[in-house]
Amino acid sequence: MGQVTVFSGPERRRRWSEEERLQIVAEAFAPGARVADVCRRHDVSSGLIYTWRRKLREAGAAQKASAAEALPAAVFAEAVLDEDAVAVSAAEHPAMIIDLPRGKRLSIYPAASPALVAAALKALR
């Protein structure tokens, strides 16, 4: 059976510290966790947990925006082409190269059929 909390006095709202909120939100959205289970465990409504998460995200976005203003403007690196390189068609370059133990190498070319690639990868397992 559930637990009942009775509040007396003028204040009827519960208050959570920042650390408690962070801990509850982290627990609720951890891999494999269910928000409903965390809500029951901490006696908190699911809407409140989602509100806390939204406010944390908004605060994080505001911090990123202020940090981005302090960073220098982004610049692009210059691309350099090797003029000595011989032009080769794409069919002559492998699409995937898999290095195997003992110095062996498996090269898969773009012209290879999907069935052949699947068979080669299954053989490696």
Side-chain angles (χ1 to χ4, degrees):
M1 191 178 244
Q3 178 181 348
V4 176
T5 305
V6 178
F7 296 103
S8 62
E11 176 109 22
R12 299 200 181 268
R13 291 185 179 187
R14 290 182 288 175
R15 303 229 181 245
W16 288 272
S17 68
E18 234 6 81
E19 293 80 25
E20 289 173 321
R21 291 179 188 179
L22 289 172
Q23 187 264 332
I24 292 171
V25 169
E27 186 179 334
F29 296 104
R34 291 180 36 199
V35 175
D37 293 339
V38 175
C39 290
R40 279 189 219 103
R41 201 168 26 254
H42 293 283
D43 195 27
V44 177
S45 72
S46 61
L48 188 55
I49 289 180
Y50 285 106
T51 300
W52 289 345
R53 181 179 71 165
R54 180 179 40 83
K55 288 183 178 180
L56 284 171
R57 284 182 173 173
E58 289 170 356
Q63 287 178 353
K64 285 181 184 177
S66 65
E69 292 172 1
L71 295 176
V75 295
F76 289 99
E78 180 182 354
V80 178
L81 298 177
D82 185 8
E83 303 213 7
D84 295 334
V86 178
V88 181
S89 68
E92 295 178 11
H93 286 292
M96 183 185 310
I97 299 173
I98 302 170
D99 289 323
L100 301 170
R102 297 186 205 125
K104 302 290 183 179
R105 178 177 281 182
L106 173 67
S107 298
I108 300 174
Y109 290 85
S113 69
L116 179 63
V117 173
L121 293 176
K122 283 182 184 176
L124 290 175
R125 263 198 293 167

